Amino acid sequence: MSTELPTTFDPAEIEQRWYAHWEQEGLFRPDRPDAQPYTIVNPPPNVTGSLHIGHALDNTLQDIMIRYERLRGKDALWVVGTDHAGIATQMVVERQLEAKQDKRTNYSREDFVAKVWEWKEESGGTITRQLRRLGCSMDWSREQFTMDPHFSAAVTKTFVDLYNDGLIYRDKRLVNWDPKLKTAISDLEVETQDVKGSFWHFRYPLEDGVTLADGRDYIEVATTRPETMLADMAVAVHPEDERYASVVGKHVVLPITGRRVPIVADEHADPELGSGAVKITPGHDFNDFEVGKRAGFRPAEMLNMLDGEANVCQTADGLVPEEFLGQHRFKRDGVDGARELVVQRLKESGHLIPHIAKTKKGEEQELDAEPRTIATPFGDRGGVVIEPWLTDQWYVDAEKLAVKPIEAVKNGEVEIVPKSWEKTFFNWMENIQPWCVSRQLWWGHRIPAWYDAEGKAYVALNEEEAQAQAGEGAALTRDEDVLDTWFSSALWPFATLGWPENPSPPAGEGGAPTGAEGEGAATMVAADTANPSPNPLPNGERASLVAKHYPNNLLISGFDILFFWDARMMMMGQYTTGQNPWPKLYLHGLVRAADGQKMSKSKGNVVDPLGLIDQYGADALRFFMAAMESQGRDIKMDDKRIEGYRNFATKLWNATRFCQSNGIGASSSIAAPKASHAVNRWIIGEVVETKEALDAALAELRFDAAANTIYHFVWDRFCDWYIELVKGNFDEETRAVAGWALDQILVMLHPFMPFITEELWSKQGDRADYPLITAKWVDPQAEVDAEAKAEIDWLIALTSAIRTAKNELGIAPGAKLEAFCPAPSVLAKSVVEANAGAIERLARLTAIHFAEAPAGAAMQIAAGEDALVIPLEGVIDIEAEKTRLSKALEASAKEAKSLEGRLGNANFVERAKPEAVEKARADHAHHTAEVARLEAALARLG
């Protein structure tokens, strides 16, 4: 027995009620121990994060797949959790301390970490609450955190194993140093920005009276970072540059420091660029570092002139003058720094070569430097200029780990969708650099390395093992650094399932739980013992989860973390388990502003998905994301479309209310009911075709095709045609078929619009023990009835053609007309004979005569292969209508041609505002369509 629906569809009330019910009843992961597994892991958002529009897209696509596979009877597991987000989380807590005139260094490491845990417990669940509002059917009973004890065990084991296999090592190399956060960051966390800067030219005097071939006693060098000359160690020239051939192996004496440095031959120097000579600062420039190594400088010998805050410090040779020490690298907060002082001193000593520029009047003027726009690296979180800094860090040999993932993609073991991303993947992986995994933070997975008095490192699962390696009596000190957050998240596909299996019980160590080695696995250094995982995993479940759900089935990810996360999961999956983490990787695009621009806070064009949910409902937003997700393309925000999908939900709501008012309730079978009426056999066939198209689209991860398939079936076939065709003819068969068809709609639409479909499902009948979320996928156990399909499609074609023609010619929609079909097909005769009442009601044709039409004004329409003539004498003024149509056609043709010319003008397309170009394209499309419509209308009139 159905429950009457309210007149108005209210998404907010439905969403809150149903999500709570699903979660409380454990319906996101029903007990299906013998079912085929289907597993997706959610890209763990930062614990500091809030839901943004990219999250909305990413999680909508994942939820579509997990709900779809759950309906198909699989043991569908969607792993959910958050990332401890080392830098971001530490920044949040430090800002809170600063607001209280406090700071991190006022606390011990243990006390500060305890404060971070406090913050996490109080404020770290924002994004998980927001994911619930979107309708994400994740397994919250097993919510994960990358600092959970079992996860930390996996991180430590992986680090130790990699070290023992020679794939992690400590090395002195240049890193991207963030002076604000005082930590190394990866290349992927560096953002390049164009900044207005300067290009200075200096004279470096040649030593001992040596001169160049042209008689000069100096070499000219140029730089955008003059402060680094305090740590210059060489000057490089190209080995084939004849201008400098005589001085290679000689020396220059640096101004300010008086340091004597060699002139070396290296192909890094470009004879065509500037003077052809390059100052080399191996301790503060990535290219110079490589030149320095080729010149014979060991990293330990390379000079460093900056401390961790990018203030000048004394170099190992002690040659930096006192006045520079403590100066910031360049002007900060209006105060000059080392850069400005170096330029001043070189100018005073005559070693600065001025730049000669011309004013607007053509007059020459002397400047200290040439103004330039310089591509400058910034930290994506610290927001300050990154400093290449020479320091000891831990590195993963990513080149070796990349071999198997590359092979996996090449041989098809891992499919990247869209395939166009493979080239980018190979380019990065085949040129991959060592991965710096150490970070100078307190919050995170502390590196399991201990050092003796001589600085020798002992890498072990715990301090006891390290002590055993070092020997009794050796005083050991723990490494202060933590691991890059991406190191731990690279283990997400299997560590969240309990890998390593059968871990030993955790044991305390300095307030953080650790564990001893188990058989083939070990644990240690996890969360604070006072902050254990809220969802500990029993050992038995660990084993079964890993065995059953790894490898996962699919990863859905934004293309922007292909290298941050996806590729690294492939490396770690192959290394730790010998398997790829999943066979298929789907990369979606960005969600952009309506004008196509990238969203950013500075532009003020960021869209809040929660605001859209408040306005239109989660179902409408989800359906928009799916319908607009076309492989290889970004999505443009469009509130009107979201509103349209809210209207779509309302249409389904009203269609269900109509069905209820006619005694149509829940179906009693999964298979299609028996049917004799053509219209009922037709709608059953439409369900069969829609289900097949939907399955095919989702198998290929074509979310737009899947969404559009179900949309058109619901709106066009069921609501617009089936309901109209059966109005007033609700016999027992039709009620059964209509109720069954509506149920199939709710099942097929559920992955996209879970809230409204579950509500309608529940109101159509009493089936509390059979909720839609865990119902069975569509299985009509029927075939398309070709005869019924042909009959109803002919009727639809006739009605559509009549309505279109009336609209084009300005005839009232309700006007009743007659039609003549002089040479009817067999199909036409049978349809007309069987559906005279429906034809009059829908097409407003009082009769269709199988005879020649009378002479006089008429219009022609087509239905299938049949041509019909409809007399218009007395209905409209034919000549006046032809005149009206001709004028409108001429105007639209003229406008279309004008717009075509404008769009064909490269100056307009390249220089006009994007919104102006977009409007011109839309207007051109409109007028082009109008020309076709008006030509068709004139053709109807003969």
Side-chain angles (χ1 to χ4, degrees):
M1 189 72 180
S2 62
T3 304
E4 186 177 351
L5 288 168
T7 305
T8 306
F9 167 48
D10 177 14
E13 187 274 331
I14 292 170
E15 290 168 8
Q16 185 176 6
R17 173 162 46 84
W18 275 113
Y19 199 93
H21 174 78
W22 290 329
E23 187 171 358
Q24 288 164 9
E25 296 299 318
L27 297 175
F28 294 147
R29 184 127 185 275
D31 186 24
R32 295 174 176 174
D34 300 323
Q36 180 183 350
Y38 184 85
T39 314
I40 293 179
V41 295
N42 172 249
N46 287 351
V47 70
T48 57
S50 294
L51 190 75
H52 59 61
I53 202 70
H55 289 133
L57 169 62
D58 194 67
N59 287 282
T60 292
L61 302 182
Q62 293 175 71
D63 198 36
I64 287 170
M65 294 307 299
I66 212 77
R67 286 181 183 269
Y68 170 65
E69 297 294 356
R70 188 185 295 120
L71 288 166
R72 298 212 306 163
K74 294 181 182 177
D75 179 13
L77 170 61
W78 188 6
V79 175
V80 62
T82 50
D83 191 285
H84 66 277
I87 293 176
T89 306
Q90 183 161 318
M91 284 177 66
V92 166
V93 177
E94 288 200 54
R95 286 194 192 114
Q96 287 186 345
L97 292 176
E98 289 169 6
K100 300 174 183 176
Q101 285 74 53
D102 203 353
K103 58 183 179 180
R104 172 173 58 92
T105 51
N106 288 342
Y107 299 86
S108 68
R109 181 181 191 129
E110 291 73 20
D111 288 344
F112 176 78
V113 169
K115 283 190 172 293
V116 181
W117 275 110
E118 287 174 14
W119 174 89
K120 191 260 182 187
E121 295 306 313
E122 293 171 5
S123 308
T126 298
I127 195 163
T128 57
R129 291 190 294 272
Q130 294 168 338
L131 288 169
R132 287 170 166 90
R133 287 205 62 195
L134 188 64
C136 298
S137 58
M138 297 156 159
D139 184 10
W140 297 107
S141 70
R142 297 188 59 263
E143 183 178 346
Q144 303 288 297
F145 184 53
T146 50
M147 291 281 284
D148 282 343
H150 71 273
F151 204 100
S152 294
V155 172
T156 302
K157 172 177 168 52
T158 301
F159 186 97
V160 173
D161 288 349
L162 285 165
Y163 178 82
N164 290 335
D165 287 341
L167 295 170
I168 276 186
Y169 56 91
R170 190 163 170 82
D171 195 10
K172 185 180 286 292
R173 300 170 61 96
L174 280 184
V175 297
N176 297 302
W177 184 261
D178 188 316
K180 182 176 181 180
L181 303 179
K182 287 178 273 195
T183 181
I185 63 175
S186 73
D187 292 344
L188 296 170
E189 294 166 299
V190 176
E191 295 178 344
T192 300
Q193 301 176 22
D194 288 336
V195 175
K196 289 184 178 179
S198 301
F199 197 48
W200 288 270
H201 294 253
F202 303 143
R203 297 183 180 93
Y204 279 5
L206 288 157
E207 187 187 39
D208 298 332
V210 174
T211 61
L212 299 176
D214 60 8
R216 283 182 294 156
D217 60 355
Y218 64 89
I219 287 182
E220 179 182 338
V221 296
T223 182
T224 59
R225 301 167 65 213
E227 67 279 8
T228 60
M229 66 87 59
L230 298 173
D232 278 357
M233 297 186 70
V235 171
V237 297
H238 196 278
E240 296 178 4
D241 192 334
E242 295 181 358
R243 294 172 296 176
Y244 302 109
S246 64
V247 297
V248 171
K250 307 295 185 181
H251 294 79
V252 296
V253 178
L254 299 180
I256 299 180
T257 63
R259 185 178 299 117
R260 178 177 178 267
V261 304
I263 302 165
V264 300
D266 195 283
E267 292 184 354
H268 170 64
D270 185 351
E272 304 299 321
L273 188 63
S275 69
V278 183
K279 61 185 285 298
I280 301 300
T281 320
H284 293 282
D285 182 277
F286 288 101
N287 289 322
D288 292 4
F289 179 77
E290 297 301 328
V291 174
K293 288 199 297 183
R294 290 193 291 271
F297 296 113
R298 293 184 296 107
E301 299 170 336
M302 295 178 182
L303 297 177
N304 173 54
M305 55 161 282
L306 296 173
D307 63 17
E309 296 181 351
N311 298 321
V312 177
C313 63
Q314 188 56 267
T315 52
D317 59 9
L319 293 178
V320 177
E322 184 75 22
E323 66 174 330
F324 289 93
L325 300 181
Q327 295 267 0
H328 192 60
R329 53 185 168 165
F330 46 64
K331 182 181 283 190
R332 180 177 62 177
D333 300 330
V335 179
D336 284 351
R339 176 174 298 177
E340 290 72 29
L341 186 56
V342 164
V343 171
Q344 181 184 337
R345 293 291 178 259
L346 291 177
K347 187 174 182 180
E348 292 169 353
S349 64
H351 293 100
L352 175 70
I353 301 173
H355 173 70
I356 307 302
K358 288 190 176 182
T359 65
K360 292 181 179 178
K361 296 180 180 179
E363 299 171 347
E364 288 191 350
Q365 64 174 347
E366 192 173 282
L367 304 174
D368 286 348
E370 174 189 352
R372 280 197 180 183
T373 298
I374 301 166
T376 306
F378 283 79
D380 63 353
R381 292 195 180 277
V384 300
V385 176
I386 292 303
E387 189 65 44
W389 203 46
L390 193 63
T391 181
D392 290 307
Q393 301 284 347
W394 288 94
Y395 291 88
V396 170
D397 190 344
E399 183 179 1
K400 289 180 181 175
L401 291 179
V403 172
K404 288 186 177 179
I406 290 171
E407 290 175 358
V409 175
K410 284 185 175 179
N411 65 26
E413 290 176 15
V414 173
E415 178 188 2
I416 298 179
V417 181
K419 193 176 178 64
S420 55
W421 278 107
E422 284 187 4
K423 183 177 179 182
T424 306
F425 173 82
F426 289 135
N427 183 58
W428 190 74
M429 293 288 274
E430 289 169 354
N431 295 281
I432 199 166
Q433 298 299 307
W435 175 15
C436 176
V437 293
S438 44
R439 297 291 181 269
Q440 290 64 52
L441 303 169
W442 282 0
W443 172 246
H445 297 103
R446 196 164 173 184
I447 289 174
W450 288 259
Y451 303 95
D452 61 19
E454 285 72 44
K456 182 179 179 182
Y458 300 91
V459 173
L461 293 167
N462 50 51
E463 188 170 2
E464 289 73 24
E465 288 192 9
Q467 190 69 62
Q469 291 179 28
E472 285 187 31
L476 297 181
T477 305
R478 179 77 180 269
D479 196 307
E480 293 288 330
D481 292 351
V482 300
L483 284 164
D484 176 13
T485 297
W486 295 104
F487 183 93
S488 50
S489 61
L491 314 184
W492 193 251
F494 45 90
T496 52
L497 301 174
W499 183 96
E501 296 175 350
N502 304 317
S504 300
E509 186 256 350
T514 64
E517 187 176 5
E519 186 174 334
T523 68
M524 72 152 294
V525 192
D528 192 306
T529 47
N531 298 279
S533 167
N535 303 296
L537 303 176
N539 286 354
E541 185 182 357
R542 286 170 183 261
S544 62
L545 282 173
V546 176
K548 187 172 184 181
H549 291 279
Y550 186 82
N552 311 155
N553 292 80
L554 170 68
L555 180 72
I556 294 178
S557 160
F559 72 82
D560 51 336
I561 56 173
L562 173 59
F563 306 123
F564 273 116
W565 191 48
D566 307 344
R568 287 168 174 170
M569 281 190 288
M570 294 176 71
M571 293 185 214
M572 292 302 190
Q574 277 283 357
Y575 173 75
T576 57
T577 72
Q579 296 176 286
N580 299 308
W582 12 255
K584 187 172 288 189
L585 166 61
Y586 181 86
L587 298 172
H588 60 74
L590 299 176
V591 182
R592 296 183 175 273
D595 60 3
Q597 291 191 60
K598 191 173 181 179
M599 291 186 190
S600 70
K601 291 179 181 178
S602 61
K603 293 177 182 176
N605 62 356
V606 174
V607 174
D608 177 14
L610 298 179
L612 294 172
I613 291 173
D614 290 338
Q615 189 172 2
Y616 303 111
D619 283 336
L621 177 60
R622 289 168 59 105
F623 203 90
F624 168 80
M625 291 300 182
M628 300 302 290
E629 171 53 27
S630 181
Q631 290 182 9
R633 295 184 180 179
D634 290 342
I635 292 175
K636 288 184 183 178
M637 279 306 303
D638 187 340
D639 281 20
K640 285 293 182 185
R641 273 189 177 269
I642 302 176
E643 183 181 3
Y645 294 129
R646 160 67 190 267
N647 295 341
F648 170 61
T650 300
K651 189 176 183 77
L652 178 60
W653 182 272
N654 291 335
T656 306
R657 290 184 66 244
F658 173 82
C659 287
Q660 288 185 348
S661 69
N662 285 278
I664 298 168
S667 174
S668 58
S669 71
I670 293 173
K674 299 295 183 184
S676 57
H677 304 325
V679 68
N680 290 331
R681 289 182 283 128
W682 169 77
I683 197 65
I684 290 170
E686 291 295 305
V687 170
V688 171
E689 290 187 329
T690 301
K691 184 258 184 187
E692 289 175 351
L694 204 53
D695 284 341
L698 290 176
E700 296 175 356
L701 301 176
R702 296 196 173 275
F703 295 98
D704 54 344
N708 290 324
T709 293
I710 187 62
Y711 178 91
H712 288 297
F713 173 66
V714 174
W715 191 293
D716 299 340
R717 311 307 269 179
F718 185 79
C719 294
D720 280 359
W721 290 114
Y722 180 69
I723 287 178
E724 290 299 318
L725 286 165
V726 298
K727 267 184 182 176
N729 296 294
F730 290 107
D731 57 15
E732 186 177 344
E733 175 190 305
T734 300
R735 285 194 180 94
V737 172
W740 176 85
L742 180 55
D743 273 1
Q744 309 319 299
I745 283 173
L746 299 180
V747 174
M748 290 188 288
L749 186 58
H750 180 75
F752 304 88
M753 290 182 145
F755 293 110
I756 187 175
T757 51
E758 188 77 85
E759 176 72 0
L760 296 178
W761 178 269
S762 71
K763 293 296 191 287
Q764 275 297 88
D766 182 14
R767 32 192 177 188
D769 59 342
Y770 190 64
L772 177 56
I773 189 173
T774 52
K776 291 187 177 179
W777 185 241
V778 177
D779 182 17
Q781 299 171 38
E783 296 180 356
V784 175
D785 187 314
E787 184 180 321
K789 182 175 178 62
E791 180 176 330
I792 302 304
D793 283 351
W794 192 95
L795 181 55
I796 290 171
L798 171 69
T799 306
S800 299
I802 290 283
R803 291 174 177 175
T804 300
K806 282 182 174 180
N807 181 56
E808 288 172 350
L809 299 176
I811 301 172
K816 291 190 175 183
L817 305 172
E818 287 186 290
F820 292 82
C821 185
S825 63
V826 173
L827 176 61
K829 284 184 177 181
S830 66
V831 174
V832 172
E833 289 169 2
N835 297 277
I839 290 171
E840 182 170 359
R841 181 163 53 84
L842 299 175
R844 311 300 287 172
L845 290 176
T846 56
I848 296 179
H849 307 284
F850 298 132
E852 292 289 343
M859 67 176 179
Q860 291 194 6
I861 61 167
E865 298 177 357
D866 294 284
L868 291 86
V869 179
I870 300 175
L872 294 177
E873 287 293 342
V875 179
I876 58 171
D877 184 332
I878 299 296
E879 291 306 317
E881 187 61 20
K882 282 184 176 180
T883 301
R884 182 187 72 80
L885 292 171
S886 296
K887 285 182 178 179
L889 174 61
E890 183 181 353
S892 275
K894 183 178 179 181
E895 189 62 24
K897 186 174 181 181
S898 171
L899 288 163
E900 185 178 355
R902 195 183 311 173
L903 290 168
N905 184 337
N907 284 333
F908 169 73
V909 174
E910 293 170 7
R911 297 180 183 178
K913 291 183 177 180
E915 53 266 33
V917 176
E918 195 64 32
K919 185 178 185 306
R921 286 181 176 141
D923 289 347
H924 178 259
H926 165 73
H927 285 289
T928 301
E930 274 295 280
V931 167
R933 185 184 71 81
L934 293 165
E935 285 177 343
L938 281 167
R940 293 187 196 282
L941 298 177

